[in-house]
Amino acid sequence: MSEDYPKRQLLKLSGEALVSAACPDTIDAVVLAQMAEDIAGAVSDLGIELGIVVGGGNIWRGDRGAGRGIERSSSDAMGMLATVINALALQDAIERIGQPTRVMTAVQMAQVAEPYIRRRAIRHLEKGRVIILAGGMGNPYFTTDTSAALRAAEIGAEILLKGTHSGVDGVYSADPREDPSAVRYARLSFMDLVNRDLRVMDMTAVTFCKDNNLPVLVFEVSPPGNLRKALSGDEIGTLVK
Ligand code: UDP
């Protein structure tokens, strides 16, 4: 384990990280429990402050509805609500094993979650609570990648961990599932991502991270133990800075 891992970190989890082949439609409780175990274990062992921005793509994505004739802003609102469903599921699973959390949402719904207020979010982190940030940014036409970048900057996270679920552990020169000679990049610059058109994250988010000097670690989140390696600064995935 690296001695020098960042003490405040933001993890972006796609909704699809919560599904499995056995349960492809919404949330697989077994996958969720494993994820929660990894998160709670790493937070308590490493003593880090962790924010999580969760996506909603396992339930709904704005462009899905837009393609079916639903007005884009309404469809995006549906996507934002989907992220709240995932956040509540994640909260339940993490608290079940004793790690305190708070769900904070950019879309106000006082009965189920706190509103996102930056200073309150930081206070929760200082008190050792994992904050789960739902509702994206509360605005249509954005993705939770961009929300994750924004929240990471707002809470002063030292790094954004972008967990993928593609079966590929980082950024490769070609798709390693198709090309056995593909090599993993251990490090890349933001300009490399743009110039080589490497689509590991929404381009709006990439630009934001570049402009705000926020390093991004792209790594495969699903294999047990990977999340802890990422949070502890071990050599894993691809570091973009
Ligand atoms: N969304 C939005 N504004 C935001 C964040 C998300 O409108 O600030 C909507 C958008 O429709 C998006 C959906 O919520 O497709 C789910 O988020 P995302 O696609 O980023 O989820 P992920 O792919 O990470 O599971």
Side-chain angles (χ1 to χ4, degrees), residues 1-6 159 161 169-172 184-188 216-220 225-241:
M1 190 205 310
S2 159
E3 291 291 291
D4 195 24
Y5 53 85
I159 189 165
L161 306 181
D169 61 334
V171 187
Y172 278 72
R184 176 174 63 88
Y185 299 114
R187 282 169 180 263
L188 279 176
V216 180
L217 181 73
V218 182
F219 73 106
E220 166 73 358
N226 264 20
L227 182 58
R228 176 179 297 238
K229 284 189 193 154
L231 292 166
S232 28
D234 283 1
E235 195 56 49
I236 186 175
T238 299
L239 183 65
V240 188
K241 59 191 287 192

Side-chain angles (χ1 to χ4, degrees), residues 91-216:
Q91 174 173 52
D92 180 78
I94 296 174
E95 293 210 331
R96 203 175 281 270
I97 39 182
Q99 167 63 49
T101 67
R102 292 290 186 275
V103 174
M104 308 186 90
T105 170
V107 178
Q108 302 250 350
M109 46 179 96
Q111 284 80 0
V112 294
E114 292 180 19
Y116 172 76
I117 297 169
R118 186 184 74 89
R119 294 169 70 107
R120 193 187 278 181
I122 291 171
R123 190 81 188 112
H124 287 320
L125 291 173
E126 289 168 350
K127 289 193 163 187
R129 299 166 186 146
V130 170
I131 53 171
I132 305 170
L133 305 173
M137 293 192 285
N139 298 313
Y141 293 93
F142 286 97
T143 67
T144 51
D145 279 358
T146 307
S147 318
L150 173 67
R151 297 298 188 229
E154 280 187 276
I155 65 169
E158 292 158 69
I159 189 165
L160 168 57
L161 306 181
K162 159 80 181 173
T164 67
H165 46 82
S166 54
V168 177
D169 61 334
V171 187
Y172 278 72
S173 54
D175 187 339
R177 292 167 299 189
E178 288 164 16
D179 180 351
S181 67
V183 289
R184 176 174 63 88
Y185 299 114
R187 282 169 180 263
L188 279 176
S189 70
F190 287 111
M191 283 319 290
D192 290 332
L193 275 193
V194 175
N195 292 338
R196 298 182 204 177
D197 198 22
L198 299 167
R199 291 161 191 256
V200 290
M201 207 165 77
D202 187 290
M203 270 307 159
T204 312
V206 170
T207 308
F208 182 94
C209 292
K210 175 177 170 294
D211 290 350
N212 292 283
N213 294 320
L214 181 65
V216 180

Side-chain angles (χ1 to χ4, degrees), residues 12-17 53-64 72-83 86 106 135-147 162 165 202:
K12 161 68 208 294
L13 273 185
S14 289
E16 273 160 13
V53 166
V54 65
N58 53 326
I59 300 169
W60 191 260
R61 272 207 189 87
D63 52 9
R64 196 186 294 173
R72 176 64 192 260
S73 296
S74 299
S75 192
D76 280 336
M78 293 162 66
M80 289 186 262
L81 295 179
T83 71
N86 285 336
M137 293 192 285
N139 298 313
Y141 293 93
F142 286 97
T143 67
T144 51
D145 279 358
T146 307
S147 318
K162 159 80 181 173
H165 46 82
D202 187 290

